[in-house]
Amino acid sequence: MTHDPALDTFVNESAELLSSVEALLLRCESGAADPEIVNELFRAFHTIKGSAGLFGLDPIVKFTHVVESVLDQTRAGRGPISAAAAAILLECSDHIGSLIRKATTGSGDSGALQPAGDDLLERLTAETGFKVTAGKSAAPQTPGAGPGAVVAAGEKCWHISVRFNEGVLKNGMDPLSFIRYLGTLGSIDGLQLVDDALPPLEQFDPECCYVGFEINLKTAADKTRIEAAFEFVRDDCNLTILPQEAPMVDFVQLIRDLPEADGRLGDLLIRCGSLTEKQLDECLALQARLADGGGEAPPIGQLLVENGFVKSDVVDAAIQKQSDARSSKLARAKEGPTIRVDGGKLDQLIDWIGELIIAGAATGAAARQAGLPVLLESAQQMARIVGEIRDQALKLRMVQIGTTFSRFRRVVRDVSRETGKNISLQINGAETELDRTLVEGITDPLTHLVRNAIDHGIESPEIRRERGKPAVGMVRLNAYHDAGSVVIEVSDDGGGLKRSRILAKAIERGIVAAGEPLTDEQINAFIFEPGFSTAAEVTNLSGRGVGMDVVKRNITSLRGTVEVHSEEGQGTRVCIRLPLTLAIIDGFQVGVGDSQFIIPLGLVEECVEITPSVEFSQAAASGHMSLHGSVLPLIQLGHMFEIRQKAVRRQSVVVVRSGGKRLGIVVDELLGELQAVIKPMSKLFSQLRGIGGSSVLGSGKVALILDVPGLLDHSLELQRAVGDPRRPSVNHNFNAA
Amino acid sequence: MNCEVEIRDGAIRIHGEMNIYSAAPLKERMIEALDAQTGDSLVNMEDVSELDTAGVQILIVAQRYCTARGASFKITNPSAVVRDTLELLRVHSLPFSSTAGDPS
């Protein structure tokens, strides 16, 4: 299957339509009786059917036709959609989704889906009581089989569209003579004089040509011969010749290219007999949607040229004119200044901005070295502007999480049906923005968490009543910004985690020693251990394909953290913390020995200078120090990464905070703020603890970016491991201190 | 020029060639003639010997001019050339009565 930009438009658009269908149906199910819902549903299915027809995707057309007809009859009956019917329609919309995926990914055979589809339709018609004549031809007729087209052998119908330049008459050419000549090639079955451009009498210049023609010609001549008829005016006219069986997109392109209003042109095409009314409707629908794409309208013209239908200069001219007209039309029609942009382009932009930042840092370093004040000043000025550009570009990639959240209405509905529980979903902070690459990565873990909350968190209605809770269980999705990161919470008011059983299981599996003092949070965290998820009877959080360890891994790979808060009998709250973006961060540069590290600036709380002393060495060796009267866990980067350090006169402790926990990182040098472009680490280093990525410095050297949450975990483990002889390996580096 | 417009018996009558060569003066004459009409305009085209795209354009514009003023514009007695051309172009907005005889 060739890559067809128009087909992409169809796929994207259908996905959007189906998700709006889903939202509407869920409203129906919860008892909304607004007749406008039925109308909207009908329109959505109708549009999908129409577009599918344009691409000849018959199975989709056939299936959607029945659904559409049922809705049409519901609409006529003015009745609302019953909850039961809505449930079946939901399945139908899923089915259409799979049909589209099947058809457009080129994985061919949609026959496998047929029985499921038939079954659905049977249930749908049984439920609604509406009969649908499935016989109605699903796919739009090919134009060649249009009304009254009797074509003799060897003859073919062509659609010819021509607009003359104003100067043709003055050049001594009479457009009429070309039409007469065409008549000698075959028979002109349809002809429409397009005189829309004629000005009123007062402004009319009688020596200018204002007219054009839409012609339907039946002839045995081929395209070259038809074109030759216009040879003398080739440069003075805008000519399109389409075989009548040309793909519908070509006609769409024709309609787009010509200056007249879409509706008017369509009318002309019908009167010429080149299109049936039905085809026109489909054309116009597709056209309208392509126009919606604004500046991103797929270049169907290119296809035309590639397929050899039109010479490229004609298309170029047409496209030029079209974009002129379109930009003015767009400005008028679209008050909302929103445009659709391919996500890949944004990613590229951000990649390049990353390179710009690195190059800028190199310039800055060179300027400092050169010591020229003028150069230094302009380098700083540039760095500021680049930073601004970076922020703006990253904002472009920010999307609201609401769309992702609302998808869970469906998940909640489905799972609560399966489990026979009555659940309501509450969404807060839907307008919270985060990087779209994060949104993609977070959907699966969230789905898992939501399913878990319903499946295992929330009790059955009977138990809930016994415990004095409302029968309707509550699942909450919440999102907000907090200290340079996005927090997403999934909470429920269910039974909560049974910590005693988790602990017992953890001890049994040797993850932790018996009798060790652990906080509730630490015990909760065991459910993220691999293998724990399958132990349904223990954690009450058994997995469905993905376990909690996978959830954690997914989130960690997004440089995020996850933790669980749970109150037995009251409910569970899973808290996911993600960085705002994956690409570029404001960093704080520190040096240890000859190596340099970057700490995300948003996490840095303060820096404390320390003179090396016996007391401090002891404190560092024990992994703690006292700061402002409270205990601060310490990590010595130099020891942790086994970096050879010279004796330095003073060291510094960078205090970082993440997820409510603080940690001191002991370093040799503080080197200041910088913009760090995050380069992901290769798979080889994925096991490395405490490192989140790397970044290229202005000097060309590589600095590692510290993974602060990872370091925090590490320090927690160290604290636990101190005095635990079974874990000498973790302790090893610290013994050297 | 090879084209004349006159008003006879209250109807407009065009003689000669309606083409690019006569288009400019023809337009002026048509405006004068149409302005002189008080109600609906009848245009006798019995004596038109040639009609090209420029001529057709003038007819269409003239017809719209009348319609805009609430009057009608009708072609009577089209010559064979006129009839052929208008039929070829299927200009249904320019009605003509073919009953009034055919000079050719």
Side-chain angles (χ1 to χ4, degrees):
Chain A
M1 180 174 285
T2 53
H3 182 73
D4 185 338
L7 191 64
D8 281 352
T9 311
F10 165 66
V11 173
N12 291 338
E13 204 176 73
S14 305
E16 272 169 33
L17 283 168
L18 287 176
S19 78
S20 73
V21 159
E22 199 173 281
L24 288 168
L25 285 171
L26 288 174
R27 278 173 62 197
C28 283
E29 249 195 353
S30 52
D34 187 353
E36 189 47 35
I37 294 183
V38 186
N39 283 333
E40 271 180 51
L41 284 171
F42 174 79
R43 281 195 293 270
F45 282 115
H46 181 76
T47 309
I48 293 173
K49 182 181 99 166
S51 317
L54 288 182
F55 295 97
L57 305 171
D58 279 1
I60 302 173
V61 178
K62 231 179 240 159
F63 183 85
T64 318
H65 171 70
V66 179
V67 176
E68 180 198 336
S69 310
V70 167
L71 283 169
D72 196 24
Q73 292 178 50
T74 312
R75 189 159 72 153
R78 302 197 165 275
I81 296 177
S82 70
I88 301 173
L89 281 169
L90 267 177
E91 289 179 57
C92 289
S93 96
D94 292 347
H95 186 72
I96 293 171
S98 5
L99 283 173
I100 292 174
R101 269 190 300 282
K102 195 111 195 166
T104 51
T105 51
S107 56
D109 186 26
S110 61
L113 290 170
Q114 177 102 31
D118 289 348
D119 176 53
L120 267 178
L121 293 181
E122 213 163 277
R123 280 165 51 206
L124 181 65
T125 44
E127 173 63 39
T128 55
F130 294 125
K131 280 269 170 289
V132 179
T133 44
K136 189 177 161 195
S137 164
Q141 300 149 324
T142 49
V150 185
V151 185
E155 284 194 336
K156 220 169 136 178
C157 284
W158 297 84
H159 183 81
I160 301 161
S161 170
V162 59
R163 298 289 180 278
F164 296 97
N165 290 354
E166 288 196 348
V168 259
L169 294 176
K170 283 178 194 152
N171 291 347
M173 237 84 71
D174 181 10
L176 262 175
S177 58
F178 303 113
I179 310 296
R180 289 210 174 87
Y181 179 73
L182 275 184
T184 65
L185 289 178
S187 75
I188 296 175
D189 278 7
L191 183 143
Q192 290 293 318
L193 174 71
V194 185
D195 53 12
D196 300 43
L198 270 173
L201 189 53
E202 296 83 357
Q203 289 122 48
F204 168 69
D205 178 349
E207 292 180 352
C208 281
C209 181
Y210 297 97
V211 298
F213 299 97
E214 298 293 327
I215 303 159
N216 189 333
L217 177 73
K218 188 165 70 186
T219 176
D222 62 4
K223 187 171 172 180
T224 331
R225 274 189 67 198
I226 302 174
E227 241 169 2
F230 293 91
E231 204 184 328
F232 297 113
V233 277
R234 204 66 195 81
D235 298 333
D236 275 330
C237 74
N238 199 337
L239 176 71
T240 307
I241 302 172
L242 292 175
Q244 207 175 48
E245 71 278 4
M248 198 66 74
V249 281
D250 292 350
F251 281 96
V252 174
Q253 180 69 23
L254 177 68
I255 291 177
R256 288 173 69 180
D257 284 350
L258 292 174
E260 288 81 18
D262 296 348
R264 160 87 174 125
L265 258 170
D267 198 37
L268 291 171
L269 290 177
I270 291 183
R271 282 204 239 149
C272 279
S274 295
L275 282 182
T276 64
E277 223 159 303
K278 188 156 173 277
Q279 290 164 344
L280 175 72
D281 283 349
E282 285 152 1
C283 263
L284 290 180
L286 183 66
Q287 149 66 6
R289 276 169 290 131
L290 289 174
D292 270 353
E296 273 296 296
I300 296 179
Q302 270 175 22
L303 284 185
L304 281 176
V305 178
E306 282 157 21
N307 294 344
F309 288 126
V310 187
K311 291 220 172 93
S312 64
D313 53 347
V314 179
V315 173
D316 286 347
I319 285 176
Q320 183 53 45
K321 189 170 53 175
Q322 162 196 342
S323 58
D324 292 350
R326 212 153 282 270
S327 52
S328 64
K329 200 159 79 186
L330 211 70
R332 261 182 288 124
K334 281 211 151 184
E335 292 295 324
T338 318
I339 56 163
R340 253 178 232 220
V341 179
D342 177 16
K345 286 186 187 168
L346 276 185
D347 296 348
Q348 263 177 3
L349 175 70
I350 286 169
D351 283 351
W352 278 110
I353 288 174
E355 297 299 323
L356 183 64
I357 289 170
I358 295 172
T363 312
R368 267 193 302 279
Q369 216 157 28
L372 291 174
V374 185
L375 188 57
L376 209 57
E377 194 178 312
S378 84
Q380 274 167 358
Q381 167 83 349
M382 200 177 80
R384 203 168 53 241
I385 295 170
V386 169
E388 194 64 35
I389 293 175
R390 173 201 68 167
D391 290 347
Q392 294 295 331
L394 286 177
K395 256 183 222 156
L396 289 180
R397 222 167 47 166
M398 294 295 216
V399 292
Q400 295 195 348
I401 199 165
T403 348
T404 313
F405 274 3
S406 53
R407 198 182 301 177
F408 289 108
R409 292 197 184 282
R410 178 71 188 277
V411 175
V412 167
R413 170 199 171 271
D414 287 354
V415 182
S416 53
R417 285 205 166 202
E418 280 166 33
T419 55
K421 293 172 187 169
N422 206 345
I423 314 268
S424 85
L425 176 71
Q426 195 188 331
I427 291 177
N428 290 320
E431 69 291 335
T432 310
E433 290 191 325
L434 73 168
D435 199 295
R436 60 177 273 276
T437 45
L438 286 170
V439 169
E440 283 156 19
I442 200 67
T443 309
D444 278 353
L446 273 184
T447 312
H448 183 71
L449 291 173
V450 170
R451 292 189 80 110
N452 265 339
I454 303 168
D455 207 358
H456 308 293
I458 289 179
E459 315 90 327
S460 66
E462 299 79 49
I463 299 179
R464 289 184 68 89
R465 262 192 295 276
E466 265 171 43
R467 292 185 178 168
K469 289 182 184 178
V472 178
M474 174 74 80
V475 173
R476 285 193 189 84
L477 286 171
N478 190 18
Y480 55 92
H481 282 172
D482 177 48
S485 47
V486 183
V487 180
I488 303 170
E489 291 177 344
V490 181
S491 49
D492 63 66
D493 62 349
L497 298 175
K498 290 171 188 65
R499 263 190 287 277
S500 55
R501 291 161 77 181
I502 295 174
L503 186 57
K505 182 80 179 179
I507 293 169
E508 180 195 319
R509 297 183 65 102
I511 298 172
V512 66
E516 207 172 289
L518 290 171
T519 64
D520 289 353
E521 262 64 51
Q522 283 168 329
I523 299 174
N524 290 344
F526 288 136
I527 61 168
F528 294 113
E529 293 289 332
F532 238 89
S533 55
T534 48
E537 74 289 355
V538 176
T539 64
N540 247 354
L541 276 168
S542 84
R544 307 177 146 263
V546 254
M548 292 295 274
D549 57 323
V550 179
V551 169
K552 170 144 190 173
R553 202 164 60 227
N554 285 345
I555 292 169
T556 312
S557 71
L558 298 171
R559 294 199 301 118
T561 56
V562 56
E563 53 193 56
V564 189
H565 306 274
S566 180
E567 202 66 51
E568 204 162 329
Q570 300 294 309
T572 309
R573 180 164 59 94
V574 182
C575 188
I576 299 169
R577 192 171 276 270
L578 294 170
L580 276 176
T581 173
L582 284 174
I584 304 167
I585 56 166
D586 275 320
F588 187 68
Q589 196 182 348
V590 297
V592 179
D594 286 334
S595 306
Q596 293 179 348
F597 296 91
I598 293 165
I599 303 169
L601 188 64
L603 303 176
V604 175
E605 211 172 62
E606 63 175 315
C607 300
V608 184
E609 199 170 281
I610 279 160
T611 326
S613 64
V614 180
E615 292 83 46
F616 180 68
S617 302
Q618 279 170 350
S622 72
H624 300 97
M625 69 176 280
S626 164
L627 183 70
H628 309 317
S630 61
V631 174
L632 179 73
L634 281 182
I635 281 215
Q636 304 217 46
L637 276 189
H639 293 149
M640 184 172 161
F641 295 117
E642 295 177 12
I643 298 165
R644 190 171 307 156
Q645 280 169 281
K646 290 171 280 201
V648 282
R649 270 197 300 151
R650 56 170 70 93
Q651 285 187 303
S652 295
V653 173
V654 181
V655 182
V656 294
R657 175 193 283 276
S658 167
K661 280 171 277 187
R662 291 159 82 219
L663 174 72
I665 301 173
V666 183
V667 301
D668 291 351
E669 270 182 291
L670 303 177
L671 297 166
E673 294 177 22
L674 87 166
Q675 295 179 29
V677 182
I678 302 177
K679 304 277 179 193
M681 306 284 272
S682 84
K683 278 226 168 70
L684 193 63
F685 300 112
S686 63
Q687 295 303 312
L688 209 59
R689 299 283 301 269
I691 298 296
S694 62
S695 183
V696 181
L697 298 173
S699 61
K701 280 177 81 174
V702 172
L704 295 174
I705 298 168
L706 294 180
D707 165 28
V708 170
L711 284 176
L712 272 166
D713 282 356
H714 185 63
S715 89
L716 279 178
E717 265 173 43
L718 285 174
Q719 287 170 31
R720 241 190 286 146
V722 169
D724 181 354
R726 284 184 305 165
R727 313 203 117 205
S729 59
V730 184
N731 231 349
H732 168 76
N733 294 332
F734 271 71
N735 289 338
Chain B
M1 88 179 184
N2 323 327
C3 187
E4 295 291 338
V5 177
E6 60 165 346
I7 299 183
R8 196 195 288 172
D9 307 335
I12 298 169
R13 218 180 154 93
I14 305 175
H15 301 267
E17 301 163 2
M18 289 181 75
N19 57 23
I20 178 69
Y21 306 107
S22 61
L26 179 59
K27 174 201 164 188
E28 300 307 320
R29 297 289 149 75
M30 280 300 279
I31 293 183
E32 287 165 22
L34 292 173
D35 283 344
Q37 299 287 308
T38 45
D40 296 351
S41 300
L42 288 176
V43 182
N44 188 318
M45 297 187 70
E46 201 171 5
D47 298 329
V48 174
S49 57
E50 202 186 313
L51 181 63
D52 75 352
T53 309
V56 173
Q57 287 191 151
I58 289 178
L59 287 176
I60 296 172
V61 169
Q63 189 250 348
R64 286 189 188 161
Y65 185 70
C66 292
T67 316
R69 294 189 309 180
S72 77
F73 177 93
K74 227 176 223 130
I75 293 166
T76 60
N77 301 54
S79 65
V81 171
V82 172
R83 184 195 302 264
D84 279 358
T85 307
L86 295 185
E87 270 173 4
L88 173 69
L89 295 183
R90 292 143 168 94
V91 191
H92 303 297
S93 60
L94 287 178
F96 54 84
S97 77
S98 52
T99 50
D102 192 333
S104 57

